[in-house]
Amino acid sequence: MNKDVRIINDRLTAQFKPVSQSRYWLQIVDNHYGGYYNVFFNHQRKWQRLRSIPLHTIKTYELAYLETVVHDLQQLTQLTIEYDGFTNQYWPQSQRLIQRKKHGYE
């Protein structure tokens, strides 16, 4: 487990408090202009608005490095990971498409 994964996991466990009728997921955003990735923890209770908490900024702007971070996060948590800003990009190792279609706000 590298430093970025450890920071994200520590901050995630501090923020995660399971509540019934709630949805939890991670969001990774590609910042093309700054050259880094942002990781957010999102949760939403039924009939309430979305709450998004920034967890960490990954300064290493390489998809191969991000792929290892995502793989380690998937082993640590069972949360869904949503990607924004990754349209038409593929993971270097597995050659799978990262984000299928563009969101309306991109």
Side-chain angles (χ1 to χ4, degrees), residues 47-65:
W47 309 113
Q48 292 186 4
R49 57 189 181 104
L50 171 69
R51 185 160 182 221
S52 182
I53 300 167
L55 291 179
H56 187 58
T57 299
I58 300 174
K59 302 281 185 185
T60 308
Y61 193 67
E62 298 173 8
L63 276 177
Y65 179 74

Side-chain angles (χ1 to χ4, degrees), residues 50-80:
L50 171 69
R51 185 160 182 221
S52 182
I53 300 167
L55 291 179
H56 187 58
T57 299
I58 300 174
K59 302 281 185 185
T60 308
Y61 193 67
E62 298 173 8
L63 276 177
Y65 179 74
L66 182 65
E67 187 175 16
T68 60
V69 169
V70 167
H71 183 266
D72 292 344
L73 282 174
Q74 287 174 337
Q75 288 181 344
L76 291 173
T77 67
Q78 297 295 320
L79 295 175
T80 303

Side-chain angles (χ1 to χ4, degrees), residues 1 6 8 17 19 22 30 33 40 50 56 65 67 76-77 85-87 92 95-96 100 103 106:
M1 181 173 13
R6 191 175 313 115
I8 293 169
K17 296 169 182 62
V19 178
S22 296
D30 183 7
Y33 305 110
F40 297 94
L50 171 69
H56 187 58
Y65 179 74
E67 187 175 16
L76 291 173
T77 67
F86 291 94
T87 51
Q95 290 299 313
R96 290 186 5 217
R100 295 204 189 288
H103 298 291
E106 286 185 54

